Structure formats: structure tokens, C-alpha cells
Amino acid sequence: MKLADVDPFIGTQPTDLPAPTGLAATWWWPKPQIGNTHPGATFPLGMVSACASSGAYPTGYGEYALATEGVPPRMRERLVASGVTHFQQSGTGAIRKYYNYVRVTPMLGPLDELGGSWDITGETASPGSYEFAFASGIRGEVTVGPKSAVHRYTFPEATDARVVIDLSVGGLDIPYGATVPIRAHLESLEPGEAQGEIVVEGTPLAMHLSADTPGWRQLLWYDRRLMPGGRRLDFDAIRPTTMRPFGLMWQGSVEAGQTVELRIGFSLRGVDQARRNLAADCPEGTGFDARRAATRASWSQHLAPVQVAGREDREARTVLGTALYHSFIKPALAPNESPQWPTNGPFAFDICTMWDIYRTQLPLVSLLNPAASTDLANALIEICEEEGNFPIGYRMAKGSDRFSRQASGLAHTLLADLCAAGAGGIDWEWALVHMLADLRRAYGEDFLTSGRADPISHTLDIAFAYWCTARVADRVGDAKAAADCRRLAGRWKNAFDPATGLLRDSTFYEGTKHNYSFRVTHDMAGRIALAGGEERFTRLLDRFFGYGADPVVQPGVDPSGDEMEAGYALGRFEGLNNEPDMEAPWAYMYAGRPDRTAEIVHHGLHQMFGAGPGGLPGNDDSGGLSSWVVWASLGVFPVAGQDLFLVNAPAWPEATIDLPGGEPLRIETTGFRAVGRGTDPQYVREAAWNGEPLERTWLTGSELRAGGTLRLTLGATPGSWGTGVRPPSFPSAAAEVTRRL
């Protein structure tokens, strides 16, 4: 894909798609109908982002208030901003940590107006670049490096122009959304140079600032009052009830069209490292244009490996290109930046939704940028060593995210995939130690003592994590650990009720037992047998996906509790509005029904996504949703943790994936016809891998990573392909007698 294929505005507005038809009209959306993305400047998997900030939910950009379900309500009547902030989430929901630190505001009025909002006009955005204009006539441009941000402001003629940095603000303008630093230090060094540090959520955020403002005054300010001659501000103990705004500013006169440039290096390890980071990202003598060009070049390198052809559809190309872009924004990799322990090495934060990204986004990153996945894996291992557990979420805050109702044992999936891929640079013996220890904490204690953990979905999580851990134990040659893990992995059965073929009654996060019952486990043959065989399992799936059902009505603004209960009672697929069941369409393949997978994926891909700002059906969740689009478009889908890729009809006649260290993966089709909204699905009738017939519906990870040619013959009706074989299942090595539940 190319930079021109990306529209960073997709997902920034409430869902605005044509009414779904057919099968897609039966799916029910429980989560907010907005992507929650932002159009600001980002660097691939980088530490820093920058965007105009209105205080809106959840990125700080836009017009909408907090919403956990239905159509989000407005909190602004139009698009406004109080300045540009740094560090934004991407597509997340209510996780109560919103960044938006170090606000930069270009102004023409007095300092008393700081904190007000100006109308924004003339926005443009592309990977690595964000531009806007204030109603005051000031034009702003922002780009970022891995650990830096560079601003350029073009002013109208004025005798009293200002660029103001406010270190006292953070978070959002929603209840309990503001962030107040507990300590702060700011120092004016010399003309055009300053440094400072704030401590927010227990984490130190340092910065080195360099401004190209010849002849302008450089002043510290406190409580919106200037401090002429002052060179330091120190706050050892800030209280939210008594805090007053504070920061730094440059002030002077400008001619019409004059530009002012501000460069900021960031670090979680003090001002000296912030200065070094700025020098690395913006070498002396370079500025905005050079940094933006370098960042756009990096984005080009990350987008270029995926190429599609044979279909003239500008909207579809934009949807795919933007999905790939969104898939490489998070997590934030920040090597040598751990603020809580002194050792250098990989570090990562903004792993806000591990439960959403581990099945789709992390496998995509692992395939296209294995070095980044290795860095993330090592960062997770280091976090586990220092803090005592693998995080299911990790942010720029002190300590792992303790929110664990949604999932458990997720890092194990990434580690198993990397292990199967033969990834180097990881101490696998040390990884195994932490994988085993992590599984014996929190919900894992209940799993070990009673054979299950509640909420019951955690039983599946932990059982699969044990299976993943067994693969690592195999690699390091620990036969006993491998056997123990495979035995415990068999406890997945304790989660299911054989009478219904579904999970046992329990509490479920953002769904019902139906949404969690059809995940692709390591022992799908056993899971299907438990449900009563393939025919009954297929009927359960058909009901879940709405075959033969009436269309549903989606929640509106501020839906009532009764409305939401009625929707959940449908027990229906969440239609890509949410992630717990996003892999379920591929469960059909384990029952010999690849035709059903083709139908659901076709309607999901072509009806649930569009090219406008309202083109996402739900929260993008750090790329978890967007990466689904990438896989579905290419016609291969990862079975996370199992090193398998399931094959389905692609959305493009031709696709090429350039793979690191191997020949490209080429996906070619014959019989392809026009696809899109309102079209019927296509089915794989025949397949060939490197010229040899492929009767199975999958490729192994080693096959796919080595590259080759997958040729698919497509048709308008299903054939026999894939009906006589089943993807691999991995039953427990030994039966285990567990307590009757």
C-alpha cells in the first residue's frame, strides 16, 4: 500500500454506513458506534503522537463525549481545539487513562485566553503529518519522530504572537478524565532552549524543547502571569485542588507568513535523555521538513509490503490502506525508556487492549515486522520480571493495568507464535519461567485448585495459555513442563456445558456466553465433539450468525438498560463492532463448512467498513479491528498461538506480501468477480500452493513465512474444497479426571 491509500480521518466520527442488508442486518452492536481514532501525526509503533486537542473522548480529538454503548453523544457543537497535545491512544474505549500531555498553543491574544477553544478549519492528515488552521488565522503543522514532535506554525501579521507550552494539563474534559501532575520542574536554559519534567500517574515524562524564534522573548509563566527574569519553576507536591496552570512561552512580533518551529524531545528517563532523543530524531541543522520526510519514509516502508491489484475500487483501497496504517500505530515501543527500572533494552507502553490485539494485530506485526514483535515480547518478559505478572494492558503509568475481567494469559499467545516461528533474540528458558509463574497467579490459582476460573471465559484463556506454554517448553527441552502444561490445557472442557454446547452460565465482559463460545481453541475437534458433532456445532454457529433471523435494531444515543438487555438476549454475533467474537467466522472451517466462513467474512468486510470518517463499526482498539480488515481482505487469517493461517476467498484478485528474509507471498485468483456492498460472496472452489493442489484450508506458519504462490479458483457457489479435511486440532496428551462441575 502507499501513503496515498491512507485516510487518518477514518474512524474519527460516529459510524455512518449504509444500512446493512441480508445476513449482516441480523448482527447486533453492543459497543459505541465510533472508531475512536484520531488523525494526528504518528510514527510506526513509535512513542509519540501529536494532534489538535478539544478534550473530547477518548483521544482528546473531536466532538464526542464518553460512551460505552450505542451512538456517542456530542460534547462539542463543532470541531475546536485549545492547542496541540502529545501522546494519544488509538481507537480505545473506557480505560481511564487518556494522556494528552504537554499542550502547545499558538496564540495572538493575551495569556488570559489560554485554555479557551478556537474553531479548526482546513484539516489535512496523512501518515506522519497533521495540519490544521485556527479561526485566528494561525496555520499549524505537526510531525513526530520515534521519541520527538516537531511543530511549525505560520502566523498572520501580529505584534504580539505567542507559542505557549502548558505542562499542567492532561487527560480529557470528561468526568474524572483530567490528569494533574504530582511533581513538575521547568527550566529556561538559553534563548530558544528549555527543559522540564512532569510526573503523571506515577511516571516521569521529561522533555527538551528547542524553538526557532529569533528575537522573541522567552518567559516562564505561572497562573497565567508572566515571570520576567525567572529561569526555573519547581513544584515538589502539587495538589489538584490548589494547582494553577504553569509553563513556558515565546512571544514576539511576526510578519504575515512568518513561521515558528518548535522541536520537543521526550523521554521517560530524564531531561538529559530527552535532549539526546531530540538530537537523534532531529540532528542539528534539520527541522520540520526533514523530520516529516523521514517519518513518511518510515511509514512507506511499513505499508509497502502489502500490495493489491486487479480491482479498480478507490474506496476499498483506502479502507485497506488505512486499516494497515491503524495496525502499526500501537503498541508504543520505547527502547531504553523504562521509567521504573534502570536496565536498558526493549520497553513498551500503550498496550491498552491486549485482549483485542493478540488475535489479529500482533500476528500481523509479527509477520511483517518480526523484529518489532521480538522487542515487544522481550518488553513483556521484562515487565513480568519486574512487576510479577504479564500485563493484559500496560500504559504510560506506574504498574501494569490491573483490569483483568476481560481476559487472562494473553502474552503467552504472542510468545508461542514467536517460538514456533523460530524467533531469535529471546531467552526462551527465561520466558518459560515467567510463563509458568504467571499462570499460577490471579485467576490461575482457581484454575489449578478447582479446574476452572470464573468468569468462565478465563478458563478458556488459561487452558489455551497452558497449551501455548507447552510449545515453549518443547523448544527448551523441558519435557515435564510440557507434559504438565498439555494436561492442564485439557481443562478447557470444564468451561462448557455439554447439554447446550456453549459455555456455562457466568458473567461475561461486553458480551454473552454466545460471543465467547466460538473462539478457535487448540482442540477444535474435541470442542465440536463436546457440542454434539459437526452438524450440531454448525447449527449453533448458524444461529449465532443470524441465518434465517430477522433484522435487528441497533442501539441509539444513550440506550436504556432494557434495550441493551434485549440485544444481548439475542445471543448474536457482534458484527465487528467489538472484538470478543471476531475470529468466530473461521470456526466453521473446523466443521467442514468453509462456505459459511466465506459468507460471513464477505458481508462483514463489505458492509461493516467504509472510507469516510464514520467508516468503522466500533472502536478500533489499538488496531485490533483494523488488522481484521487486513487479514480478511487478503484471504488468510491467523490462528493466534497455533502458527496456522486459514485460507478464504480474498477481496482482491491479486495480492503480494513482501516478507522479511524470504520470497514474497503471492495470492492469485481465477474466476474473481466484482465484490463490494450489495454483492454476493465468492467461494474457494480449488486451491494450489506453489503449483501443487491444496485440498486443506490452511497453511502452516513455516509455509507462509517462506513465501510462495497461493492460487485460488473462485466461484459463485460452494464446491467440495475444504469439506473433506479439517484444520489441525491438538488434544491433551493425557486424559485428566476433573471434579464434576
Side-chain angles (χ1 to χ4, degrees):
M1 308 305 292
K2 299 178 180 179
L3 295 178
D5 297 322
V6 177
D7 179 5
F9 290 98
I10 289 179
T12 60
Q13 293 284 323
T15 303
D16 183 20
L17 298 165
T21 60
L23 191 63
T26 71
W27 302 338
W28 186 73
W29 296 353
K31 290 292 295 299
Q33 296 163 34
I34 186 170
N36 281 351
T37 59
H38 69 83
T42 63
F43 187 89
L45 303 175
M47 176 177 167
V48 183
S49 58
C51 190
S53 177
S54 67
Y57 178 83
T59 65
Y61 172 85
E63 304 144 70
Y64 296 91
L66 187 152
T68 58
E69 52 200 21
V71 178
R74 279 188 175 272
M75 68 180 293
R76 308 281 187 236
E77 290 303 313
R78 58 193 182 278
L79 187 60
V80 298
S82 61
V84 173
T85 57
H86 304 84
F87 306 98
Q88 287 82 18
Q89 296 168 14
S90 182
T92 57
I95 62 172
R96 295 295 180 193
K97 185 72 180 65
Y98 303 113
Y99 306 139
N100 288 287
Y101 303 134
V102 189
R103 183 177 63 193
V104 177
T105 306
M107 301 175 63
L108 297 177
L111 199 58
D112 285 340
E113 296 179 3
L114 183 67
S117 295
W118 292 267
D119 288 349
I120 287 182
T121 60
E123 279 186 301
T124 62
S126 61
S129 179
Y130 173 68
E131 302 181 20
F132 66 97
F134 279 145
S136 62
I138 301 172
R139 182 76 185 170
E141 303 169 87
V142 189
T143 190
V144 297
K147 298 182 180 182
S148 66
V150 184
H151 302 237
R152 183 166 65 190
Y153 297 105
T154 304
F155 287 88
E157 183 176 359
T159 59
D160 191 17
R162 307 163 189 257
V163 174
V164 184
I165 291 87
D166 189 341
L167 300 187
S168 64
V169 296
L172 306 178
D173 292 340
I174 62 172
Y176 314 109
T179 299
V180 175
I182 62 172
R183 287 183 294 279
H185 159 73
L186 181 59
E187 182 178 7
S188 181
L189 299 174
E190 57 184 74
E193 299 287 330
Q195 65 185 18
E197 184 175 75
I198 55 177
V199 178
V200 285
E201 304 287 337
T203 295
L205 174 61
M207 66 222 70
H208 184 93
L209 304 99
S210 174
D212 180 14
T213 53
W216 281 31
R217 300 173 69 199
Q218 180 172 318
L219 298 160
L220 300 178
W221 58 271
Y222 174 71
D223 198 15
R224 293 186 175 84
R225 295 296 178 263
L226 300 179
M227 302 176 62
R231 296 187 62 85
R232 292 178 63 95
L233 281 173
D234 291 286
F235 302 92
D236 293 331
I238 299 174
R239 297 291 181 266
T241 54
T242 60
M243 189 196 74
R244 299 290 183 268
F246 60 91
L248 173 75
M249 63 174 286
W250 285 272
Q251 177 186 26
S253 61
V254 288
E255 299 178 355
Q258 183 175 336
T259 62
V260 170
E261 188 169 298
L262 173 67
R263 297 170 290 278
I264 311 175
F266 292 98
S267 177
L268 304 180
R269 284 191 170 180
V271 293
D272 290 339
Q273 186 151 313
R275 183 182 67 254
R276 292 192 294 270
N277 289 344
L278 180 59
D281 282 6
C282 302
E284 186 174 355
T286 66
F288 183 89
D289 289 330
R291 181 62 263 168
R292 181 170 61 181
T295 296
R296 289 173 63 79
S298 183
W299 271 116
S300 292
Q301 292 173 0
H302 281 75
L303 298 172
V306 177
Q307 304 152 40
V308 292
R311 176 183 169 197
E312 295 300 324
D313 190 326
R314 184 67 253 173
E315 177 177 357
R317 185 174 288 274
T318 300
V319 168
L320 176 57
T322 306
L324 185 60
Y325 165 75
H326 281 150
S327 299
F328 275 93
I329 293 178
K330 302 294 180 182
L333 300 183
N336 306 323
E337 292 289 348
S338 164
Q340 313 299 347
W341 51 87
T343 53
N344 285 332
F347 180 70
F349 63 90
D350 213 344
I351 315 171
C352 287
T353 58
M354 189 77 165
W355 49 86
D356 296 320
I357 64 176
Y358 79 105
R359 285 171 291 187
T360 52
Q361 191 253 1
L362 294 186
L364 185 63
V365 173
S366 296
L367 180 67
L368 300 181
N369 191 342
S373 282
T374 297
D375 284 347
L376 176 60
N378 279 320
L380 293 172
I381 293 169
E382 185 74 13
I383 291 168
C384 186
E385 179 177 356
E386 293 286 344
E387 299 190 4
N389 61 278
F390 280 115
I392 56 92
Y394 203 80
R395 303 169 297 196
M396 192 199 295
K398 189 171 184 178
S400 299
D401 187 350
R402 303 301 179 186
F403 174 75
S404 57
R405 286 178 290 162
Q406 189 157 356
S408 296
L410 306 181
H412 300 66
T413 303
L414 171 64
L415 290 166
D417 272 337
L418 292 176
C419 182
I426 297 174
D427 185 337
W428 288 109
E429 291 187 356
W430 196 227
L432 178 61
V433 168
H434 289 303
M435 293 171 79
L436 290 169
D438 182 76
L439 287 172
R440 293 161 186 160
R441 301 182 178 112
Y443 293 102
E445 294 181 5
D446 294 337
F447 184 89
L448 285 172
T449 57
S450 68
R452 61 181 277 181
D454 288 297
I456 202 67
S457 59
H458 287 262
T459 301
L460 290 184
D461 291 336
I462 297 169
F464 184 63
Y466 270 112
W467 185 84
C468 290
T469 303
R471 304 194 79 177
V472 176
D474 287 338
R475 172 165 178 155
V476 303
D478 192 332
K480 182 180 185 305
D484 288 344
C485 286
R486 287 192 170 88
R487 175 179 57 81
L488 291 167
R491 291 184 173 183
W492 67 265
K493 295 179 181 179
N494 296 344
F496 286 94
D497 181 353
T500 65
L502 302 173
L503 289 175
R504 298 179 183 275
D505 291 333
S506 182
T507 57
F508 294 93
Y509 189 80
E510 297 178 351
T512 68
K513 62 183 178 183
H514 297 85
N515 304 110
Y516 287 87
S517 284
F518 300 110
R519 65 171 57 182
V520 178
T521 71
H522 58 281
D523 185 8
M524 286 299 291
R527 189 268 178 269
I528 292 171
L530 182 145
E534 291 183 349
E535 185 176 342
R536 184 169 183 242
F537 182 70
T538 299
R539 289 199 302 269
L540 290 172
L541 280 171
D542 285 351
R543 182 189 180 283
F544 174 64
F545 283 106
Y547 280 90
D550 294 328
V552 303
V553 176
Q554 303 297 354
V557 177
D558 193 22
S560 68
D562 290 342
E563 183 180 356
M564 296 302 295
E565 282 190 28
Y568 278 121
L570 294 170
R572 198 65 52 77
F573 179 51
E574 294 182 346
L576 288 313
N577 166 259
N578 200 18
E579 286 79 6
D581 51 14
M582 66 195 313
E583 65 189 314
W586 283 266
Y588 277 109
M589 289 190 166
Y590 292 83
R593 294 298 304 270
D595 57 315
R596 289 293 205 232
T597 298
E599 291 159 5
I600 295 159
V601 172
H602 174 88
H603 289 298
L605 183 60
H606 298 298
Q607 295 201 53
M608 298 294 105
F609 300 91
L616 293 182
N619 298 170
D620 194 48
D621 284 316
S622 299
L625 180 59
S626 285
S627 51
W628 187 98
V629 172
V630 177
W631 292 115
S633 298
L634 296 174
V636 290
F637 189 82
V639 184
Q642 299 186 44
D643 205 36
L644 291 174
F645 293 83
L646 302 178
V647 176
N648 182 44
W652 294 85
E654 302 172 27
T656 301
I657 305 173
D658 290 329
L659 301 170
E663 67 174 280
L665 171 66
R666 297 181 177 86
I667 302 171
E668 303 173 352
T669 65
T670 58
F672 189 96
R673 57 173 171 74
V675 294
R677 194 178 303 274
T679 64
D680 293 326
Q682 299 183 94
Y683 304 89
V684 178
R685 301 293 302 260
E686 295 179 359
W689 174 242
N690 290 331
E692 296 295 327
L694 183 74
E695 297 297 330
R696 50 188 165 95
T697 55
W698 72 92
L699 294 173
T700 66
S702 59
E703 288 174 325
L704 187 138
R705 285 186 295 274
T709 299
L710 177 64
R711 176 170 288 275
L712 303 174
T713 301
L714 306 179
T717 58
S720 61
W721 178 82
T723 61
V725 293
R726 304 292 181 267
S729 285
F730 305 93
S732 298
E736 181 188 52
V737 177
T738 57
R739 184 188 311 177
R740 185 177 181 83
L741 300 173

